Amino acid sequence: MRTEQPKMIYLKDYQAPDYLIDETHLTFELFDDHTLVHAQLVMRRNPAAGSGLSDARMPPLVLDGQQLELLSVALDDRELSAGDYQLSDSHLTLQPTAASFVIDSSVRIHPESNTALEGLYKSSGMFCTQCEAEGFRKITYYLDRPDVMSKFTTTLSAEQHSYPVLLSNGNPIASGSEEGGRHWATWEDPFMKPAYLFALVAGDLWCVEDSFTTMSSREVALRIYVEPENIDKCQHAMDSLKKSMTWDEEVYGREYDLDIFMIVAVNDFNMGAMENKGLNIFNSSCVLARAETATDAAHQRVEAVVAHEYFHNWSGNRVTCRDWFQLSLKEGFTVFRDSQFSADMNSATVKRIEDVAYLRTHQFAEDAGPMAHPVRPESFMEISNFYTLTVYEKGSEVVRMIRTLVGDAGFRQGSDLYFERHDGQAVTCDDFIKAMEDANGVDLSQFKRWYSQGGTPRLVVSEAYDAAAKTYSLTFRQSCPATPGQRDKQPFVIPVELGLLGAQGQALPLRLVGEAAAGATSRVISITETEQLVTFVDVAEQP
Ligand code: SER
Ligand code: ZN
């Protein structure tokens, strides 16, 4: 087998995939010492691919796959032999001969000895998965990239006594028993999704069950699965889930779409949680909370993480990322959404102070160090290193600034347009901005520098009051330190919301030079230049 060296990947090199996978049919046979994975991929040439080859000659099909033992592969029911394909430690390459075809493959994998917590692994006696960002390639040969979206059907079989619960994405459509004490279940996910949103769980789990009626009166079953000893610690997560579902309907007009929504608590999990379609998998610490033993902060964390993962169903799953450079498209927006939710559920002021303190302490440090990178990085070797405070927290603040610029109503119109335009698609941060621009008739081209330039800008303000002329001037100067690979920065668009107070603490009317009459006592000024003078007139006293 050939060994491939990891290489740098650049945003500017993005190319649409040569092939699409319309349907993905997976069968998992789970055993204690190995797992067999059979994958049937219904594929076709991507009409939008730009490989430049004439239709007569099909480009090679390069499937991703790592740490897989290939047992068999067939193209349109024809079993391939070793000479028919090339195998390296990261790819399986073969040559399709028609524009539509079916690939069947079988591989053996070892979740029982997978300690990387990526792909399919075992945690406390249960099987579970983590596929974001590139874990699915450790499960089967596939086009493991987010712009390849497919309809998944998944069948799992396992020994019934140790693994009574068998879960995957979507809705359950069939189940039964097999000889030898085994059983099986089939799940079908009607929504197109990239492989990173695939999930599977098998184990001895108990569940807390509830239901939710959506805004169009559809009944959704809600289940939280935990190990039996934790069954008394799920109520807060369930309450948080129902609040999140209501809030997303009311504030963003977003309704849940499957018949069932599940959360599974797992003890060994690298991230807080994962938004797999219909089957969120959580680190136990982000699910379990009981009033007698958990602090207020722990309760709020559970509420926030449950909300975050639930909100991804629209901002991430229904509309997903074209490539991993766009990670902040779903993460920045979803962190912003969960922070709005937490603000609405608790104290908005406290939440804002917490978020800003966290950003200043941790993200500013990242932005000032050797790892500093833009919200949308331009290159990476290993995407798992880019699940950063910059992509998440600064990404959220960038979305917040858009809302500050276009206002609450304009922001909602922009997000409605974004979801309507791109439902079922894998898109870019530019598409998000475009929807905000089109819905509001504004030009955000300079604003987009927030996505491409790293570093924490510094804004220095100086004031001057002219008592005789009754003018009050503010001079804003912005600068941004050099960051790795970026020496000179162009000025950002920095929205500054401000008001002026008189000696008695009263809000003073704000009238900019050149304006006919005073407007509101609080307004948003856009700082777009390196140095910008803002002058208010008719200011009766020194603010
Ligand atoms: N996509 C996951 C999340 O942010 C990874 O942690 O919710
Ligand atoms: Zn997220």
Side-chain angles (χ1 to χ4, degrees), residues 126-127 162 164-165 167 201-207 225-228 264-265:
M126 76 196 252
F127 287 92
S162 305
V165 172
L167 310 175
V201 169
D204 183 4
L205 299 166
W206 287 12
C207 83
Y225 287 93
V226 293
E227 290 176 87
V264 178

Side-chain angles (χ1 to χ4, degrees), residues 211-214 217-221 258-260:
S211 73
F212 181 82
T213 307
T214 70
S217 305
R218 280 192 317 99
E219 193 79 359
V220 179
L258 292 166
D259 301 338
I260 181 167

Side-chain angles (χ1 to χ4, degrees), residues 59-177:
L61 170 64
V62 185
L63 297 169
D64 303 297
Q66 284 175 10
Q67 298 159 34
L68 307 173
E69 181 189 344
L70 181 63
L71 302 176
S72 67
V73 54
L75 172 58
D76 286 331
D77 287 332
R78 188 175 68 87
E79 191 78 29
L80 300 183
S81 48
D84 298 328
Y85 55 80
Q86 287 112 48
L87 201 56
S88 76
D89 58 359
S90 48
H91 295 106
L92 167 64
T93 305
L94 43 89
Q95 184 60 55
T97 50
S100 306
F101 53 92
V102 176
I103 303 280
D104 278 282
S105 73
S106 295
V107 301
R108 186 182 353 247
I109 56 175
H110 291 280
E112 72 282 359
S113 56
N114 175 0
T115 52
L117 311 187
E118 198 188 37
L120 177 62
Y121 64 98
K122 276 182 99 171
S123 166
S124 321
M126 76 196 252
F127 287 92
C128 66
T129 52
Q130 170 59 31
C131 294
E132 188 179 2
E134 298 182 333
F136 193 74
R137 62 190 61 190
K138 295 181 175 171
I139 293 177
T140 192
Y141 286 104
Y142 204 76
L143 296 178
D144 188 7
R145 45 187 289 171
D147 55 353
V148 172
M149 300 175 80
S150 184
K151 259 185 200 154
F152 282 68
T153 311
T154 305
T155 299
L156 323 64
S157 79
E159 201 268 312
Q160 179 146 21
H161 182 74
S162 305
Y163 309 101
V165 172
L166 303 175
L167 310 175
S168 190
N169 316 90
N171 300 314
I173 56 167
S175 61
S177 301

Side-chain angles (χ1 to χ4, degrees), residues 404-416:
T404 303
L405 287 169
V406 302
D408 275 338
F411 188 79
R412 170 67 194 268
Q413 280 164 15
S415 81
D416 283 353

